[in-house]
Amino acid sequence: MSNESLWRVSGDAALQNLLDWQECPIVLQQALTGALAWQTRNEVSISRALRSPRVPPQWLAVLLVLGARAVVEGDEGVTVVSLEDILERRVGGKVNALEVPVVTDPARGVVLGAARVSRTPADEPIVAAIAGVQLDGEVVKDARIALTGVWPEAVGLADAAARLVGGRLDDARLGSVAAAVQREVSPPSDYLGSAEYRRAMAGVTTRRALQRCCEQVGGAT
């Protein structure tokens, strides 16, 4: 996503620092306070959480949608890489800092939406989707959709989000993208849900997350 400025936080800082950030988007606040316990937020550093499969990944989904970057110190010196590079382990080294784009208000064109399915509201989501769209008037300029619980990895971006670019947020387009996400994901099966269930919920949560973006800008109903 294209934004005006970046907020930088040390990789050694606790996860709680993200929640304490004055500009922390509501969707990120919800991800940090949902399945993440207070003790985890205060005891686990950002750099450790980025590498830990035991930390619930919904906060990472929000950061992927925002286009967060990491400042990494490795064998070739200090470089700035995408968060995707870190999560997919394409880049090694110590994460010195995390850079998070400052989200502008809906009137400026950036909106976020989230949806999840879980056993109870207090449980970690079985499947969750975070959607972000950047608008130029009524036309989608950029879009990202990140999901958890539907990939072999903890979290990932859906290529299907690109289908939104160049069009309006109408009901037909939302349905098309949700169906494409459902075809794209490759979920595992476990005691919380079969692969078939998770695949179906990928489509459901994607559509709901996009619908919540629409609600903020007067789009599809």
Side-chain angles (χ1 to χ4, degrees):
M1 294 291 170
S2 175
N3 295 274
E4 294 179 351
S5 59
L6 294 171
W7 178 67
R8 177 180 285 203
V9 59
S10 170
D12 293 329
L15 279 171
Q16 181 66 30
N17 282 260
L18 288 173
L19 190 60
D20 293 339
W21 172 32
Q22 187 176 2
E23 303 293 334
C24 185
I26 292 175
V27 171
L28 182 54
Q29 294 176 28
Q30 293 170 340
L32 288 166
T33 57
L36 277 169
W38 179 89
Q39 292 88 345
T40 301
R41 295 199 308 270
N42 283 275
E43 295 174 1
V44 177
S45 69
I46 291 170
S47 60
R48 178 183 167 193
L50 287 172
R51 307 282 191 182
S52 174
R54 291 179 294 177
V55 177
Q58 285 69 48
W59 69 288
L60 291 172
V62 180
L63 294 181
L64 280 174
V65 168
L66 292 176
R69 304 182 302 182
V71 180
V72 178
E73 184 176 355
D75 294 337
E76 298 181 359
V78 177
T79 57
V80 179
V81 301
S82 72
L83 187 59
E84 296 167 82
D85 287 334
I86 296 295
L87 297 178
E88 296 181 10
R89 303 188 184 279
R90 293 194 292 259
V91 175
K94 183 180 185 297
V95 177
N96 286 343
L98 185 67
E99 294 182 342
V100 185
V102 177
V103 178
T104 55
D105 61 81
R108 300 290 295 276
V110 177
V111 290
L112 295 169
R116 51 179 275 169
V117 290
S118 58
R119 286 181 169 180
T120 73
D123 287 336
E124 181 178 347
I126 300 171
V127 174
I130 307 295
V133 294
Q134 183 176 7
L135 302 177
D136 183 4
E138 296 184 348
V139 176
V140 177
K141 181 180 178 181
D142 191 13
R144 292 185 183 182
I145 301 167
L147 298 104
T148 67
V150 295
W151 313 101
E153 302 78 20
V155 59
L157 287 167
D159 293 336
R163 291 170 173 254
L164 290 168
V165 177
R168 300 179 61 185
L169 288 174
D170 56 40
D171 191 66
R173 192 174 293 272
L174 266 59
S176 173
V177 170
V181 168
Q182 189 170 329
R183 293 191 298 269
E184 179 183 345
V185 297
S186 52
S189 293
D190 63 15
Y191 70 99
L192 290 175
S194 66
E196 292 77 13
Y197 172 77
R198 289 175 181 271
R199 185 180 299 278
M201 290 304 100
V204 169
T205 55
T206 292
R207 182 162 189 144
R208 288 176 181 171
L210 288 170
Q211 186 64 47
R212 284 163 189 164
C213 292
C214 292
E215 290 168 359
Q216 300 175 60
V217 297
T221 59

